[in-house]
Amino acid sequence: MADLTEMALVLTRGLVAFGCLAIASAAPVLADGPADNQAENVRPIPPAGIEVDAEAVDALQANAAMVRKRWQQLIDAAKTDKQGSTALARLIDLEPEVLVFPRAVEMTIEQSIFYSPKALTDADRLLEIANERIDRIAAGASWAEVVGLETSNEKQLIAGGYRSKIDDSFQPYGVVVPANVNALDALPIRMDVWLHGRGEKVSELAFLNKHSNRPDRYRTGNEPMPQSAIVAHPYGRYSNAFKFAGEVDVLELIDYLQRRAAIDDQRIAIRGFSMGGAGCWQFATHYADRFFAATPGAGFSETPLFLKVFQGEDAAGTAPSHQKTLWQLYDCPPWAANLRNLPTIAYSGEIDRQKQAADVMESELEKHGVDLVHLIGPQTAHKIHPDAKQEIARRLNLIEQQIQPGVPRHVHLTTMTLRYSKMHWIEVTGMQQHWSPATVDAAVIRHPADSSEQIEIECENVTRLRVNFDAGQWPGKPNGRVGVMINGNHVTNASNGPMVGSDRSFTAEFMHDGKWKIATEDSTSLRKRPGLQGPIDDAFMDRFVFVMPSGTTADLIVEKWIQEESKHAMDHWRLHFRGDIRVIQDTEVDAAMMADQNVILFGDATSNQVIAQLLPKLPLNWTKEQIRIGNNEADGAGHVPVMIYPNPESPNHYVVINSGFTFREYDYLNNARQTPKLPDWAILNVSEGSTFRDPGKVVAAGFFDEAWQPK
């Protein structure tokens, strides 16, 4: 066997690129490939479970209900407790760590996804854990005591749940604590975030069972087991390559654990293999400033080449132009330059077809002057070679030792959308053109002549940008004014620039209005900005509620489609993103409710009162006779508009009309297909109903401009 350390420095170039498959090595390949290209005959995901004893299922249902009853008794008692709100707040904080277990059992029953007789026993055990935690909480236990985190010389497994901001669902997580790591120590510790591979049978029940098992029975497989770091395992809302709500799941788990354990904010690594490797590439390129290192293994890093080679699907030749544009949301090559900010170690098996992912990124990074370190497991298929695991661990430890406090003086940012607009102390807050690269190179420069500091910025496709050094982060002189130069022009200087704060912070925002200048307040202006930039799927990455019509639509074809499509949207949020559905009637909506979340409206102006209220303020003309968006028109009969837009009654949130998340059952079959299928708006012909691939026939579709107006 060749020496892996030496091989790690050999970068494979010019090889034939094969397709890649986001399937965990322990999971069998099902029907991936051309067999999964039949949009009219889609196999179900999750797959159907086995038949199980009805009495056993009834008993599980009753036991889950008993757990919920016991918990509610604690809640009711706290409401009358002398400590009042303090006692209740403690219970609400700990609630996910209990109720995630009965929820997992109930969803398994609801969807009939028991995959073995043993799963019934596993479900019983999870309910026992929930009951034990109720006992501990009733006795006054802390979070660490509730989840079983101890000062121990033995490896520990923790399984639990947190409450998602998106839909209030209790999402599961796992944590592995090595034997020699004290997670209760007051000293900050390192945390590696591990993104798992695809497993179509990895339900909440299976995930929680694995992470609550006996430590000596825990099988790591490709997973890391560092000696000096805890490993966090997000569930990622099942099998979506950690995109959309799966992406938010990872971010929320990091935040959840940081608030409960002494995790060093500067020592968090993002890691993964197979489907998790794809997720790792995405997080590394989108959030390069949040991690000290990334170790993507296998997976995929882009859409069209993968689907062409592995699936035999000519997506590049058949996909409409708006879908090709939207591939850039999660395709990593356009974002590759961001890895200048993040030490990255790629891994592939020498004979693994998923090696294609790193080969693609290697080629792209070379264009940006980055020489990707790509470790190759000799004669290894779809798994991490044991020597490679050790070499990755060694390199990560060395990178960790070189972490310096503070923020870097030099920063690069590439973005295609304001969804991912920040890199350290630079944030793009306005773009000239979405879905074209916006780039920023910024540096704090000290001039040797007078030791003064100046921020120098070169940018393209940027109309607004913000500089933000938090307290203690400004690396220059502790006081005085700061000169700023953008694209070679002095915007401010040492006599008129913004001042450094007394706490060593520095903040300023600039805008281009014929020339660069200090930005003026524009809180009332309508423009695309971070967190409010579309497309439709963006609304489902934050808190939302479905608003159903209390009336009916006169067009029977449209009425039937609204009823069926709204049900589909809610059913599949639960099925694919494993969420809880929050739904209300249009008659229940008030200003406070719209101010708190995105509203997803189904119906038309005659059936949904909220649509009728907002329609005059939207760039949409919708009557019985006609639908018009910009210069695009369609007959009102048998057609519906779908769109996302800033809510006129709550401009910091979205309103979405007649759409859930936009990819469908056909796209569940392969993680690379799970990209947005509709842009900011579309007009659909629904006279023939929906399919496994489309909600209707797209008559017209497009993006709003940077001022949220039809192009």
Side-chain angles (χ1 to χ4, degrees):
M1 180 184 298
D3 181 73
L4 188 69
T5 304
E6 180 179 347
M7 290 180 65
L9 301 178
V10 179
L11 304 184
T12 57
R13 305 183 189 279
L15 299 180
V16 176
F18 291 93
C20 58
L21 172 65
I23 296 288
S25 59
V29 176
L30 298 175
D32 305 86
D36 273 351
N37 293 345
Q38 302 170 21
E40 71 284 351
N41 184 27
V42 174
R43 60 187 174 88
I45 295 178
I50 64 171
E51 289 190 18
V52 292
D53 181 72
E55 291 186 1
V57 171
D58 289 344
L60 278 177
Q61 190 82 64
N63 289 340
M66 182 56 67
V67 170
R68 290 189 179 276
K69 181 178 179 180
R70 289 192 65 207
W71 182 255
Q72 188 59 47
Q73 289 171 343
L74 278 187
I75 294 288
D76 292 341
K79 290 178 179 178
T80 60
D81 191 280
K82 292 181 180 180
Q83 297 182 28
S85 60
T86 301
L88 184 60
R90 171 178 170 271
L91 292 182
I92 296 301
D93 183 60
L94 293 171
E95 186 172 59
E97 298 288 5
V98 174
L99 297 189
V100 70
F101 296 104
R103 182 180 187 271
V105 174
E106 290 160 350
M107 289 191 72
T108 305
I109 295 171
E110 170 192 322
Q111 298 174 5
S112 299
I113 52 174
F114 289 98
Y115 294 118
S116 71
K118 180 179 177 295
L120 293 166
T121 304
D122 295 338
D124 264 325
R125 192 174 69 84
L126 294 186
L127 295 177
E128 290 175 5
I129 294 173
N131 277 312
E132 291 169 359
R133 290 189 175 184
I134 291 174
D135 292 340
R136 293 176 197 166
I137 291 170
S142 66
W143 172 81
E145 293 166 333
V146 169
V147 301
L149 186 60
E150 303 172 347
T151 301
S152 171
N153 293 324
E154 303 294 330
K155 179 170 68 177
Q156 299 174 69
L157 300 183
I158 296 169
Y162 76 91
R163 180 184 283 101
S164 173
K165 69 176 181 180
I166 294 179
D167 56 8
D168 292 335
S169 62
F170 300 139
Q171 293 297 320
Y173 70 86
V175 174
V176 180
V177 183
N180 59 336
V181 172
N182 179 7
L184 295 178
D185 199 323
L187 295 176
I189 56 176
R190 173 179 139 191
M191 180 171 75
D192 291 5
V193 180
W194 177 257
L195 308 183
H196 61 77
R198 179 176 173 113
E200 293 179 1
K201 296 182 178 180
V202 181
S203 64
E204 291 86 351
L205 190 153
F207 182 89
L208 287 167
N209 181 64
K210 173 181 177 178
H211 290 282
S212 61
N213 214 331
R214 282 174 39 184
D216 60 330
R217 294 180 180 176
Y218 186 82
R219 298 178 61 186
T220 59
N222 293 306
E223 299 172 15
M225 189 56 67
Q227 297 301 306
S228 59
I230 67 172
V231 182
H233 294 259
Y235 182 54
R237 290 187 177 241
Y238 181 51
S239 185
N240 50 65
F242 303 93
K243 302 175 183 178
F244 306 107
E247 172 185 330
V248 178
D249 183 68
V250 177
L251 299 175
E252 287 197 292
L253 177 59
I254 292 172
D255 179 66
Y256 181 83
L257 294 176
Q258 282 187 296
R259 286 185 278 114
R260 285 158 175 79
I263 295 165
D264 190 340
D265 189 58
Q266 292 193 311
R267 290 193 293 154
I268 301 176
I270 188 72
R271 311 183 65 181
F273 184 77
S274 196
M275 182 184 82
C280 186
W281 281 118
Q282 292 154 191
F283 272 87
T285 53
H286 286 159
Y287 300 103
D289 58 346
R290 296 198 57 161
F291 307 103
F292 81 86
T295 67
F300 60 91
S301 57
E302 47 71 50
T303 304
L305 179 61
F306 165 70
L307 293 178
K308 177 68 173 179
V309 175
F310 191 87
Q311 292 289 142
E313 180 180 3
D314 184 18
T318 60
S321 61
H322 60 264
Q323 290 185 9
K324 294 178 185 179
T325 296
L326 288 166
W327 285 344
Q328 297 176 104
L329 181 66
Y330 281 114
D331 280 12
C332 297
W335 306 78
N338 289 333
L339 294 185
R340 296 177 189 173
N341 304 283
L342 180 66
T344 302
I345 306 166
Y347 167 81
S348 304
E350 184 180 11
I351 56 175
D352 184 359
R353 291 193 295 173
Q354 295 189 44
K355 179 176 174 289
Q356 178 257 3
D359 290 341
V360 167
M361 292 301 292
E362 177 188 336
S363 177
E364 191 65 28
L365 282 165
E366 188 176 10
K367 300 175 186 177
H368 300 284
V370 178
D371 196 21
L372 179 66
V373 172
H374 186 184
L375 277 64
I376 311 294
Q379 289 300 301
T380 302
H382 195 53
K383 65 178 182 179
I384 300 181
H385 192 284
D387 292 348
K389 290 184 72 171
Q390 294 183 18
E391 179 62 14
I392 292 170
R394 185 187 74 84
R395 288 173 178 260
L396 272 183
N397 289 339
L398 290 175
I399 294 169
E400 181 186 1
Q401 292 170 18
Q402 299 304 313
I403 295 174
Q404 298 293 323
V407 296
R409 280 179 168 259
H410 297 261
V411 173
H412 172 84
L413 170 65
T414 293
T415 185
M416 309 298 292
T417 167
L418 295 177
R419 160 54 65 175
Y420 308 105
S421 61
K422 181 179 176 295
M423 190 67 66
H424 291 293
W425 46 271
I426 281 288
E427 182 177 14
V428 174
T429 55
M431 294 174 64
Q432 183 177 351
Q433 176 68 55
H434 254 73
W435 307 113
S436 292
T439 60
V440 180
D441 286 281
V444 179
I445 305 297
R446 174 169 292 178
H447 295 282
D450 57 3
S451 297
S452 64
E453 268 89 18
Q454 177 172 283
I455 298 174
E456 297 183 4
I457 299 171
E458 293 290 329
C459 59
E460 293 183 11
N461 193 27
V462 176
T463 57
R464 292 179 72 102
L465 60 84
R466 187 168 183 260
V467 175
N468 181 39
F469 291 89
D470 207 344
Q473 291 186 342
W474 172 247
K477 284 186 175 181
N479 52 56
R481 298 185 183 274
V482 177
V484 176
M485 178 182 288
I486 302 179
N487 290 347
N489 297 311
H490 286 282
V491 182
T492 66
N493 55 47
S495 63
N496 66 2
M499 296 186 69
V500 176
S502 61
D503 60 351
R504 301 283 184 93
S505 64
F506 178 79
T507 300
E509 188 163 4
F510 305 92
M511 61 184 289
H512 189 267
D513 184 12
K515 64 177 183 178
W516 283 100
K517 62 183 181 180
I518 294 177
T520 54
E521 179 61 38
D522 72 335
S523 58
T524 61
S525 67
L526 183 63
R527 63 179 179 84
K528 289 189 174 180
R529 61 187 72 207
L532 204 72
Q533 74 292 308
I536 290 171
D537 288 274
D538 197 64
F540 300 92
M541 295 179 71
D542 209 334
R543 188 171 181 81
F544 68 87
V545 61
F546 280 88
V547 179
M548 299 305 297
S550 56
T552 58
T553 301
D555 187 327
L556 296 181
I557 291 175
V558 171
E559 174 65 21
K560 181 175 184 292
W561 181 88
I562 288 170
Q563 293 299 324
E564 292 177 350
E565 189 62 19
S566 59
K567 184 178 186 304
H568 181 277
M570 290 186 284
D571 287 350
H572 283 263
W573 179 258
R574 188 157 180 82
L575 183 72
H576 187 76
F577 282 115
R578 318 303 294 170
D580 290 344
I581 308 303
R582 301 173 59 249
V583 56
I584 59 175
Q585 289 286 301
D586 56 344
T587 53
E588 301 175 83
V589 176
D590 57 25
M593 191 172 295
M594 286 202 285
D596 184 52
Q597 60 207 310
N598 302 324
V599 291
I600 316 301
L601 309 174
F602 277 89
D604 66 3
T606 62
S607 64
N608 191 310
Q609 296 179 18
V610 182
I611 293 179
Q613 173 189 346
L614 298 179
L615 189 57
K617 302 175 183 179
L618 302 176
L620 166 65
N621 183 278
W622 186 8
T623 66
K624 180 180 179 181
E625 293 74 28
Q626 183 189 64
I627 298 171
R628 187 175 75 249
I629 301 176
N631 295 323
N632 302 273
E633 298 180 0
D635 193 328
H639 292 75
V640 296
V642 299
M643 67 183 296
I644 187 170
Y645 199 75
N647 188 339
E649 302 297 326
S650 179
N652 291 324
H653 296 89
Y654 291 119
V655 57
V656 173
I657 295 179
N658 289 326
S659 183
F661 66 90
T662 64
F663 62 89
R664 298 172 80 89
E665 292 93 327
Y666 175 73
D667 307 302
Y668 301 172
L669 304 179
N670 191 290
N671 296 116
R673 285 180 180 151
Q674 293 167 357
T675 58
K677 303 305 178 190
L678 294 175
D680 295 345
W681 64 265
I683 301 175
L684 306 179
N685 182 335
V686 299
S687 58
E688 296 182 6
S690 61
T691 69
F692 286 137
R693 197 165 189 174
D694 301 294
K697 182 179 179 181
V698 177
V699 175
F703 298 89
F704 293 114
D705 66 17
E706 299 305 311
W708 281 103
Q709 295 304 305
K711 294 182 180 180

